[in-house]
Amino acid sequence: MIFSDFEYFVFFIFVFFTAWYLFPAVFREKTKEIRILHIFLLVCSYFFYMNWDYRFGGLILLSTAIDYFVGLKLDKEERERYRLFYLYFSLITNLVFILGFFKYYNFLANSFNAITGEVFGANWVPILSIILPAGISFFTFQSLSYTIDVYRREIAPERDFVRFALFVSFFPQLVAGPIVTARTFMPQLYAPKEFHEIEFRVAIRYFALGYFKKAVLSDWMAPTIETIFQDPAGHDGYALIIGAILGGTQVYLDFSGYSDMAIGSAKLLGYKLPTNFNLPFIATTVSGFWRRWHMTLNSWLRDYVYIPMGGSRVTPIRRKFNLWFTMFVSGVWHGAQWTYVFWGSLNGVWYVIEEFWNDMFPKKKDTWESKAIFLKILSPILFIFQNFLQTSLFFLGAIFFRSLSWENAWIHLKGIFVLQSGILRPYMWKDCIWTVLIVGAGHILGYWIFEKGKWKEIPANLEFAAYPFLFLVLNLATPENSAPFIYFQF
């Protein structure tokens, strides 16, 4: 069951009407009714997750139970060595025995066997048939943030197991984010919900925009992308460039589309999820891009990896290493393949190069009027150049992110730089041009609305009257074959 499926609409309508009409808002200030509502949402969340495989429910329950009891122990214990023991117990259990085993065991086993096989000619480590649970990286990081914050005494432990379990498994953001932290989400479970406070128009806008990104644009370009990335050696150099552009854009449309639908679904139930994407393709720097892309993961890595390593409170060289290592962790988090590891490391290298550039050429405010006029003329040209450079670096990395194997990635990259001859279909150009135009127009419109605030509110009656027409258009534009969400594998 995915957000763009008809089954999800049926499921969500059931949850929505049951939550708001079986548990009226007037009673929600009472603890008993709130608890019943939480139990209902928890059951629905587990049903949603176990719809893929019923065994997934036991795994997320195990992770939830471990961090719940660790949080209680951390609160009671005053001796630092024992508190460290409980923290390490949570980290090792979640990162090694849960996330490490299900996501990385076969990757590490294959890598080890590839090295030892050259010497000993045998596979020393067995390869297991492991089903990768959907969204395991998301709920693991989410649960770990709670344990770490309790250890730091930044938040109090949650003593109600149902509330804590709902925080970990809340279905709108369960399988592909946005990643939420206990400090931002747990207080919402204590606040009474009022039906009249629902931002219906905002929620529907989020969901409709997310559906358009994922079910229309992303799924529409999926066949072209699969054709190019499955056989990079057989395609023309220009086709490979098109593949890199479409592949990177599809990741954005797919993931931001899911995040938008998750935010819209949560809003309709009275909960607020954090923004996960903010017009990343208008960025002109590496750092600016990652402040707009997968914002909740980057915030998590900043708070729980970068800052604990010293952040920017260390020497300049150590700070650059901290930045690179944080991006390296991001690559490892994304997938159990060497292509993801290299992708994260490569983005870390771009980050470090930018830092060295800023050290050599620090920005200075120019107060000369003549130069200010010159900068006004130069500014658009400089923006286009910097934006083109940053976007090119992103699409270059997208080759490794979207390639099926390490070998395919290097064949794809080599084919671009030597402009190899091969297959180049007219529809590839058409898909690329239309994608760039639509996504570019969306970013320009989004910039004027969200960055500049140039937006006049549409009359409510007119907007609601347009919904049936909008839903009809989206339905007609949706391809027959839907592609799975890319980030479900993470």
Side-chain angles (χ1 to χ4, degrees):
M1 188 194 314
I2 61 176
F3 286 170
S4 54
D5 284 348
F6 177 75
E7 290 81 359
Y8 177 76
F9 288 91
V10 176
F11 166 78
F12 186 81
I13 289 173
F14 166 76
V15 174
F16 176 84
F17 281 102
T18 303
W20 285 111
Y21 289 94
L22 191 60
F23 309 102
V26 69
F27 297 116
R28 294 192 178 191
E29 295 183 0
K30 298 182 179 179
T31 304
K32 182 179 179 181
E33 279 70 22
I34 292 178
R35 182 170 179 80
I36 295 174
L37 172 64
H38 291 164
I39 293 174
F40 169 73
L41 291 176
L42 180 62
V43 171
C44 291
S45 296
Y46 268 74
F47 172 81
F48 175 82
Y49 190 56
M50 294 168 66
N51 183 257
W52 278 281
D53 192 311
Y54 71 92
R55 293 169 291 184
F56 292 174
L59 183 65
I60 194 172
L61 180 61
L62 174 63
S63 177
T64 301
I66 290 172
D67 287 327
Y68 171 75
F69 288 109
V70 166
L72 297 179
K73 290 292 186 180
L74 286 171
D75 182 59
K76 293 180 180 179
E77 186 58 63
E78 296 295 334
R79 293 166 292 184
E80 184 60 23
R81 60 177 179 176
Y82 288 105
R83 299 187 80 242
L84 277 174
F85 168 79
Y86 291 124
L87 175 64
Y88 289 148
F89 175 76
S90 173
L91 292 173
I92 293 172
T93 303
N94 282 282
L95 294 179
V96 178
F97 295 107
I98 296 179
L99 182 62
F101 174 76
F102 282 94
K103 188 169 183 176
Y104 299 103
Y105 173 83
N106 279 342
F107 165 65
L108 295 174
N110 280 318
S111 299
F112 181 81
N113 289 335
I115 296 173
T116 59
E118 296 294 330
V119 179
F120 301 102
N123 291 336
W124 285 56
V125 182
I127 306 301
L128 306 179
S129 298
I130 301 175
I131 300 176
L132 179 63
I136 185 172
S137 295
F138 287 91
F139 69 74
T140 302
F141 269 32
Q142 190 162 299
S143 185
L144 277 178
S145 71
Y146 164 81
T147 304
I148 296 172
D149 284 348
V150 172
Y151 169 77
R152 294 173 175 175
R153 298 197 185 281
E154 295 180 357
I155 61 173
E158 177 54 55
R159 302 189 181 280
D160 188 320
F161 182 78
V162 172
R163 281 198 181 100
F164 180 71
L166 181 57
F167 152 69
V168 176
S169 62
F170 187 48
F171 72 87
Q173 48 79 52
L174 175 57
V175 293
I179 299 174
V180 298
T181 58
R183 71 181 78 168
T184 60
F185 190 80
M186 292 300 301
Q188 298 185 54
L189 297 178
Y190 285 89
K193 309 299 177 189
E194 299 290 347
F195 188 79
H196 66 271
E197 294 177 348
I198 300 179
E199 299 176 296
F200 276 101
R201 300 170 71 184
V202 176
I204 294 174
R205 289 171 189 170
Y206 264 109
F207 197 93
L209 178 61
Y211 185 93
F212 176 70
K213 288 179 179 178
K214 158 58 186 169
V216 178
L217 292 182
S218 178
D219 288 356
W220 164 60
M221 67 177 70
T224 302
I225 297 170
E226 295 301 323
T227 299
I228 295 173
F229 277 91
Q230 284 177 359
D231 182 27
H235 283 84
D236 184 84
Y238 289 107
L240 298 179
I241 294 175
I242 291 172
I245 295 173
L246 292 181
T249 307
Q250 187 197 31
V251 174
Y252 163 71
L253 293 171
D254 190 278
F255 192 21
S256 68
Y258 184 95
S259 297
D260 289 345
M261 286 189 277
I263 292 171
S265 297
K267 278 186 175 294
L268 289 173
L269 295 176
Y271 298 94
K272 183 178 180 180
L273 300 182
T275 302
N276 213 18
F277 288 83
N278 182 24
L279 309 173
F281 292 124
I282 67 172
T284 57
T285 61
V286 175
S287 56
F289 180 86
W290 294 110
R291 282 194 294 268
R292 295 173 175 272
W293 178 281
H294 205 344
M295 297 160 64
T296 56
L297 173 63
N298 290 322
S299 296
W300 197 100
L301 293 173
R302 178 199 63 204
D303 294 340
Y304 302 106
V305 177
Y306 177 70
I307 293 178
M309 291 180 65
S312 58
R313 306 181 308 276
V314 292
T315 63
I317 294 298
R318 177 58 189 271
R319 178 175 181 269
K320 292 175 179 60
F321 173 79
N322 292 346
L323 287 170
W324 175 86
F325 185 78
T326 302
M327 297 307 297
F328 166 79
V329 173
S330 174
V332 174
W333 177 89
H334 273 84
Q337 291 183 24
W338 286 112
T339 50
Y340 293 119
V341 176
F342 184 81
W343 172 80
S345 302
L346 182 64
N347 287 315
V349 170
W350 302 146
Y351 227 129
V352 171
I353 292 175
E354 181 181 281
E355 288 294 310
F356 276 113
W357 176 270
N358 292 335
D359 290 343
M360 292 187 293
F361 305 100
K363 295 180 180 179
K364 296 180 180 179
K365 292 185 178 180
D366 200 323
T367 57
W368 290 14
E369 184 177 354
S370 59
K371 289 191 176 182
I373 296 173
F374 173 74
L375 289 176
K376 287 182 180 179
I377 300 173
L378 182 63
S379 181
I381 300 174
L382 187 61
F383 170 82
I384 293 173
F385 173 76
Q386 291 178 324
N387 179 259
F388 175 79
L389 178 60
Q390 162 53 39
T391 306
S392 298
L393 293 178
F394 169 75
F395 288 138
L396 185 68
I399 295 172
F400 294 92
F401 194 93
R402 293 292 285 118
S403 290
L404 302 178
S405 67
W406 181 261
E407 293 76 13
N408 278 16
W410 285 110
I411 292 172
H412 196 131
L413 191 65
K414 179 182 176 182
I416 288 177
F417 284 99
V418 302
L419 283 180
Q420 70 183 24
S421 59
I423 300 172
L424 176 61
R425 306 296 186 191
Y427 70 84
M428 296 177 180
W429 283 113
K430 182 191 69 173
D431 289 355
C432 184
I433 292 172
W434 274 111
T435 298
V436 170
L437 289 177
I438 294 173
V439 175
H443 273 62
I444 293 172
L445 182 62
Y447 175 78
W448 279 90
I449 293 175
F450 300 111
E451 303 277 338
K452 291 295 186 180
K454 297 183 181 295
W455 168 261
K456 293 184 179 179
E457 193 64 33
I458 301 173
N461 293 337
L462 179 61
E463 182 172 345
F464 279 103
Y467 285 156
F469 175 74
L470 173 64
F471 295 149
L472 177 62
V473 171
L474 289 176
N475 182 62
L476 294 175
T478 302
E480 293 185 5
N481 298 321
S482 62
F485 280 98
I486 295 173
Y487 268 69
F488 276 10
Q489 61 184 307
F490 305 140

